Amino acid sequence: MKKLVCLIGMGCMLVSASSCLKAGLDKDLPKFKDALMTDVFMEYLYETPGSGSSPVVKAVSMSLSGKQFKKKEDSGAPADSAIFTVTVPAASGTFTTEERAKVTMANLSFMCNISTAATMEPVDGAPKPGVPGDFGQARKYRITAADGSSREWVVRIAGFIK
C-alpha cells in the first residue's frame, strides 16, 4: 500500500512539472544559422518476393570512401560540395549476384545528415533524398538553415567501384 501511494505521488509530481508553454519561445531563442551537409549515405533499393503476393523492398547500403565536404569560401568554387567514392558490396543473401549486377550510378538513393533544424530540397531535377535517381552527373541540393539563410550543395560521385 505504501508503495502504491509513493507511485501515485510521483505520478502527480511528473504531471504537475510538465510545461504548458505554447508560444513565446521563438523570439527569445537564437535560430541556428548553419546550412551544412555533414555526412552522406547511398543505398540501392530492390524488391524480393514476400509472403503472399506483395513484394518486399530491401535496401543495400553502399560503402562510401574518400568523403570530402568543401565549403565554397574555402575552395573558391561557386557552390559547396560533397564528393565521395561509392563501392558496391559483395552479393549476400537476397542481394544476389544478379541483383548486384543491376546496381549503377543511375539507380542509387542518396541521403545525408544536415545541420540542426535545417531543411533540404533538390535543385535542378536532382532526385529527392531517399528516392532512387541518377547520380551519373553532379546533383544539387539547397540546404536552408533555421534562420532562413541557405547554401547550395553539389553532390558528386568521384568514383564507382563494382
Side-chain angles (χ1 to χ4, degrees):
M1 183 70 170
K2 190 175 183 181
K3 198 175 197 179
L4 179 62
V5 170
C6 262
L7 287 174
I8 292 171
M10 287 172 61
C12 288
M13 285 184 354
L14 285 174
V15 170
S16 66
S18 68
S19 173
C20 296
L21 184 62
K22 302 271 187 235
L25 282 177
D26 210 27
K27 65 182 178 205
D28 298 332
L29 295 175
K31 290 191 169 54
F32 291 99
K33 62 181 179 186
D34 291 333
L36 303 175
M37 192 175 291
T38 58
D39 204 357
V40 291
F41 313 93
M42 297 214 87
E43 291 181 338
Y44 170 71
L45 304 176
Y46 65 101
E47 291 183 354
T48 62
S51 59
S53 61
S54 298
V56 174
V57 175
K58 300 257 182 158
V60 174
S61 294
M62 301 292 109
S63 176
L64 303 185
S65 59
K67 295 178 187 178
Q68 299 175 46
F69 299 92
K70 297 180 180 181
K71 293 163 93 176
K72 64 183 175 184
E73 54 270 17
D74 298 336
S75 67
D80 301 310
S81 61
I83 304 165
F84 49 89
T85 296
V86 175
T87 302
V88 180
S92 175
T94 60
F95 184 58
T96 62
T97 303
E98 294 78 23
E99 197 62 51
R100 185 178 185 277
K102 297 176 188 175
V103 180
T104 68
M105 289 196 302
N107 57 11
L108 294 176
S109 176
F110 169 75
M111 294 151 296
C112 66
N113 290 344
I114 59 175
S115 299
T116 301
T119 60
M120 185 173 84
E121 63 183 320
V123 176
D124 295 336
K128 290 181 181 179
V131 176
D134 187 356
F135 286 87
Q137 61 182 334
R139 294 304 196 161
K140 293 180 184 175
Y141 293 88
R142 181 175 300 109
I143 297 178
T144 303
D147 71 354
S149 63
S150 66
R151 299 178 76 105
E152 196 165 281
W153 283 81
V154 175
V155 174
R156 185 170 59 85
I157 297 176
F160 186 76
I161 304 168
K162 208 161 175 185

